[in-house]
Structures are given as structure tokens and as C-alpha cells.
Amino acid sequence: MQTFAEGGVFDTLLNSITSGVTEAVNSAVTALGGVVPAVVIVLGISIGVPLVIRFIRRTVK
């Protein structure tokens, strides 16, 4: 274990794992960041359009 750590292989492995995890988390956050506004927009449209239509019908009557 001592020679393994001295060789720097362990450090390199640890760094690559850490950076890989960081990248995975960042990409997941980015994906969520893209999904959440889309979901909010779709929900807003699906809720807002019927309300606007009702409002227009009431105003026209």
C-alpha cells in the first residue's frame, strides 16, 4: 500500500474519481436545470390557458 500511494497512482485514481463524480453531479444539475423550467412552463400553459379562456368567455358574456 505504501509503494502504491508513493507511486502517485492512488492520488491520480482519487482525483479522477472525484472529478468524475463532480462532473456527473454538474451534468445532473444542468439536466435538472433544463427540465424544471420546461415542466414549469408546460404546467403554466396547461393551467393558464383554460383560465384565460374562462376569463375571456366571462368577459364576452
Side-chain angles (χ1 to χ4, degrees), residues 1-2 6 8 12 14-18 21 23 26-27 29 38 41-44 47-49 51 58 61:
M1 192 64 192
Q2 189 75 22
E6 276 176 10
T12 310
L14 195 68
N15 285 340
S16 65
I17 290 172
T18 308
V21 168
E23 280 179 28
N26 284 343
S27 62
V29 168
I41 289 167
V42 168
L43 281 177
I47 292 168
V49 168
L51 286 176
R58 283 183 191 165
K61 286 179 182 175

Side-chain angles (χ1 to χ4, degrees):
M1 192 64 192
Q2 189 75 22
T3 53
F4 185 66
E6 276 176 10
V9 178
F10 187 73
D11 286 338
T12 310
L13 195 67
L14 195 68
N15 285 340
S16 65
I17 290 172
T18 308
S19 63
V21 168
T22 308
E23 280 179 28
V25 169
N26 284 343
S27 62
V29 168
T30 307
L32 281 177
V35 168
V36 171
V39 169
V40 169
I41 289 167
V42 168
L43 281 177
I45 290 172
S46 60
I47 292 168
V49 168
L51 286 176
V52 169
I53 291 171
R54 280 185 195 163
F55 180 74
I56 290 172
R57 283 185 181 163
R58 283 183 191 165
T59 315
V60 168
K61 286 179 182 175

